[in-house]
Structure formats: C-alpha cells, structure tokens
Amino acid sequence: MDVDKRVSSCEVIMEDTYVDWRGRPCKRDKHGGMSAAVFVLGLQAFEMMAIAAVGNNLITYVFNDMHFPLSKSANIVTNFIGTIFLLSLLGGFLSDSYLGSFLTMLIFGFVELCGFILLSVQAHLPQLRPPTCRMLDGNPCVAANGYKAFIFFLALYLVALGSGCLKPNIISLGADQFWKDEPSQNRKLSTFFNIAYFAFCMGELGALTLLVWVQTNSGMDVGFGVSAAAMAVGLISLISGAFRYRNKPPRGSIFIPVAQVFVAAITKRKQICPSNTEKLHGSQNSRPNHVSATSTKINSFLHSKRFRFLDKACIKIQEGTQAKESPWRLSTMAQVEQVKIIISVIPIFGCTIIFNTILAQLQTFSVQQGSSMDTHITKELKIPPASLQSIPYILLIFFVPIYETAFVPIARRFTGKDSGISPLQRIGIGLFIATFSMVSAALVENKRRNLALHSNEKLSIFWIAPQFLIFGLSEMFTAVGLIEFFYKQSLEGMQAFLTAMTYCSYSFGFYLSSLMVSLVNKITSSSGSGWLVDNDLNKDRLDLFYWLLASLSFFNFLNYLFWTRWYSSNLSVEEL
C-alpha cells in the first residue's frame, strides 16, 4: 500500500542522545559505524559458538551422563533453550531502562561464563554425576538427583540467564552504531543484520564441528571448558570496542509511556473522538504527508484507524485553560501510534512460534535420530550426530555473502527497497520453506525405522542432512527478517526490548515443543502405543510426529499471510 495515500502523518522529533563511554556526546569521526559494530559481532560469533556447543549436544549429556529418560531429556533441553530466549525480555528491559546495552552485556556475559565453568567442573568430577551406566543398553540407570541435579540445573540456568540477557543487546548495540541521520541508514542496517547472521553462522559452525568433536572425543568436561574459553574471547572482543561505541543512555522505565497511553484512554473512555485528527493532541498534519522514517532526527508515524479507542488518550479536555493536563491523562498522537505498533506486531510475532518449534526438534529428536543411524564416514572415522547441524551453516557462510552482494542489489532494482525485499516478505519466504524441513524429516525417519525393524540395517546418517539444510535456508530468511522488522518498528529508547521480543518467539517455540511432546504422548498412549514414550526410536513413531509438525507449519504459513495483509493494509510505517 502506497504510503503517500495514507490519511495523515504524525512525527516525533528525536534528539540524538548517544554518548561515548565517558558520557560525552559522540563524534562522527570517532564513534560508531561498522568499525565499532565489528567488536559486537565478535561477541556474537564467540558467544554463539559457546552456547550452541552446549545446546546442540546437551541432550547427549543429559541422556547418557545424567541418565534422564529420552522424552524428559528432550524437554530439559527445550526448556533450557526456551528460558534463554524468554530471559531476553529481562535483558532488553534492563538495558533500555537502567543499565544501557554495553553494561548489561558486560554483567551478564560474566554470569554466562560462570555457568560454563560450573558445567565443566560438574562434567569433570565423578562425585557430581550419577554412577556410570549405558542408557542405550536398556539398563535401569539411576538419574541425577539431590545436590547433583541442583548443581547441574544451577549451572545450566546461569548460562541461560547470561545468554538470554545478552542476545537482544548484541543486535541493539550493533545496530545503534549507525548514525540515524545518514540517508543510507536503512541500507547499512540491512547489511549489518546480514553480517550479524553471518557471524551467527560462523559461531554455530565452530560449535557444531570443532566443539562437538571435542565433546565427543575428549569428553563433555573438556567441551564445556572450551565453551567457557570461547565466551571469554567474546567478552574480550566486546570490551575492546568500548572506546568506539555509540551508547544510548537508559531513560528510566520503558513501560511508563506505554502505560500512560492506556491510562489516559481508559480515563477518557466516555469521550467522543473528533473526526478531524488535527484536533488531537500532538497532531502535526501541517507537515508534508511523506517523510522518510530515517530523515534527520525524525521518526515518521501515520495516523491509523485501528484501535481507535486509544485515540481518546489524545483528546484535550482543558482547551483554553492555563492548566496543563498530566501525561497520565493526555498523550500525544505519536505516543498512541507507537503503542498501536506494539499491539499490531504481536500477530506477526505469534506466527513464528511454530517455526521455532521445528527448530527445537532439530536440536533434540533429530540429534537422537542420528544416534540410531550409521555414523561412519570411513571405516575408522565417525561423525558425531550433533555435528550434522553444521551442514546448513557450511552452506550459509557462502550463501549469506551471495545474498547480500548479488541478490539484494538485483532485488533492489525491482522493488526499490534498500534491503531488496521487505522484512515481512523475507519472514514469509522462510516460513514457507520450513514446512519442507519436516516433510524431509518424516520421510527419512520412516525409511530409517523400516530398515531397522525389517532388515536390521542402519541407514547412513547423511540421509538426515536435507532436513537441516532446508531449515538452515529458511532460518536465514525468517530470523534475519524478524529481527530487522522489529528493530525498525521500535520506539525510540525501546530497541533492545522490542528486539528481545523476536527472541521470545524462540522461547515460546521451544516451550510449545515440550508441551506438544507431552500432549502427543498422552493422547497416543491412551489409544495404544505412544509415539514418543520409549527411549528406543525404533519403537516410537517419530515420523508421525514430524508429519504433524509439517501440517502445523503449512497452516501457520497461511495464517501468516492473513496477518501480514492485515498489518500492511492498516498500519502506516514506511518500511514494512
């Protein structure tokens, strides 16, 4: 929908309040830019390497060393990863409200480092783990309990707390390094998000090859120790750029301006909204109808007809008097439109939850699926099942630069958009592709199970490579598109928190995975043999579970198309 056809505009003049590490105003020739963002990207790569090495192979440690049953082990992993992304809201809130991105990252980076060290200590000391026992042999192994379980979960959730509070601030601090008044800001931001994903891929690749190999051949204690070392290198990278960063000072509680709009609207709920929006407080319709959202110190919002009850917060009831209404009783149109944006992006956020439920399966059941297959590359050399997840990242470290240097310029010629295709289009492409990851997984699991049961043969582990490859491609579109979309819709001073909302999608996806496993087991067990109740995949029906996810993914894509049409046709932000 053409922005020029919108009804009216409402603009907010924002002061560039970025400061250096000493609290002084930033200078263009000394602060910011890609030369500053690269230090943040260093933390992105090494932190991702550290956390991915733990998360992607954690189910092996929980199952084989801590002796929890397979379905419970899968839930422990998904709950752990889900908690990481849920805690990103805390990190975003603390950053925007009280600490700032850099200080938040520094504090919680050390918290995460402590968690890695504690995990390594527990994996190294036999007295902190249950007695050695082979779960795959069907032995009645004793699961970790008491202080052993306490230390394990304490270490695990220290890692979750640190990583969760880091993630939104890595993206926010990196994106804040680009000066808002530059005409090419959108193009530079789009490039930054692609480079950030490239750093993410490099971290994942290092974790799934080098670190998983170390875990498999040198022990989980050494593997967790290497994760701690990688995290330490990431923190050194972060600190090294301290003198170059443009830092956004915290502005107090980020929720107060939002709360003021709701309180003012409720207080004036009996008022009648004027048909002429110029009569609303803060309306600036005398300005041009089309102002770029990246113009100097201007964020452009256009009045939307959705959620009209919030417009009542802008009604002046003391016109002509000397008294000035409290901010809790009178909001500007810009404040109201910003709140409308927050409400309106929630359905977009919700449509990515199923996508991340699929990701949860690739980090749990697909790894265990690989453990039941022939892992030999040669007669002597075996591939760790968790390392299969490195296959898409090997491809993506080549594909992401091609996407940025070839696809984006070509697409830009046709669409006129700085990022080639809009973030919403990018998300949609990724959601569509993700369905085929589960289709591939279901077909391969059915073939693997039939061979194991009827021919007593093991299928080569490389048969499950396509499901990782397809999902990796879909993640490149969805994950980057979602972060770019949310950052560009953010209110001034709330970038870290709204970026954290994108990570909450991961959290809800992993929690939904745990819920689905429990519900599927309960429903299928009541009618006979459960799909996921045994520790033996040859007895389970993982293929049917994958088909269920493929169906949900396809219907989720159709749901996304509906909500993007609803969003784009009613909300007026220049870059959708």
Side-chain angles (χ1 to χ4, degrees), residues 95-96 101 167-177 192-193 248 487 494-497 499:
S95 169
D96 287 333
S101 292
K167 290 189 182 302
N169 290 292
I170 291 175
I171 296 297
S172 179
L173 180 62
D176 286 344
Q177 300 314 304
F192 167 75
F193 289 126
K248 186 188 306 172
Y487 184 85
M494 285 189 70
Q495 278 88 349
F497 183 79
T499 302

Side-chain angles (χ1 to χ4, degrees), residues 272-425:
I272 299 176
C273 284
S275 57
N276 186 352
T277 58
E278 292 183 3
K279 295 182 180 180
L280 294 175
H281 180 57
S283 174
Q284 299 180 32
N285 288 334
S286 59
R287 295 185 181 272
N289 287 334
H290 183 80
V291 182
S292 172
T294 59
S295 296
T296 304
K297 297 182 181 180
I298 294 180
N299 286 346
S300 179
F301 295 90
L302 305 176
H303 182 263
S304 59
K305 295 182 179 180
R306 187 184 303 146
F307 309 126
R308 288 294 304 275
F309 69 95
L310 292 177
D311 289 345
K312 295 183 178 183
C314 303
I315 298 175
K316 301 176 184 178
I317 59 175
Q318 296 180 357
E319 194 76 45
T321 68
Q322 296 297 322
K324 188 175 182 180
E325 289 190 73
S326 163
W328 291 93
R329 294 184 58 85
L330 181 63
S331 303
T332 65
M333 186 187 294
Q335 285 180 281
V336 171
E337 290 303 316
Q338 290 172 332
V339 173
K340 289 181 180 181
I341 290 175
I342 295 177
I343 299 174
S344 298
V345 298
I346 291 176
I348 306 295
F349 158 85
C351 290
T352 60
I353 294 176
I354 292 294
F355 171 85
N356 290 301
T357 301
I358 293 175
L359 175 61
Q361 312 318 311
L362 297 180
Q363 294 188 1
T364 53
F365 284 117
S366 289
V367 174
Q368 201 63 25
Q369 185 183 12
S371 300
S372 303
M373 303 172 81
D374 182 6
T375 59
H376 285 88
I377 300 176
T378 65
K379 289 184 178 180
E380 302 295 331
L381 185 62
K382 293 183 177 181
I383 181 172
S387 290
L388 277 179
Q389 298 173 77
S390 66
I391 292 176
Y393 298 108
I394 294 174
L395 176 69
L396 288 172
I397 62 173
F398 297 103
F399 189 79
V400 171
I402 294 173
Y403 178 90
E404 173 62 28
T405 59
F407 175 80
V408 171
I410 294 173
R412 190 180 291 143
R413 294 178 184 177
F414 292 96
T415 65
K417 297 181 182 296
D418 290 320
S419 55
I421 57 176
S422 72
L424 287 181
Q425 291 170 333

Side-chain angles (χ1 to χ4, degrees), residues 42-52 112 116 159 162-164 166-167 170 230-231 234:
L43 175 62
Q44 164 90 333
F46 284 104
E47 193 275 339
M48 180 51 60
M49 182 184 297
I51 192 68
E112 185 176 0
F116 286 129
V159 172
S163 183
L166 271 180
K167 290 189 182 302
I170 291 175
M231 185 65 215

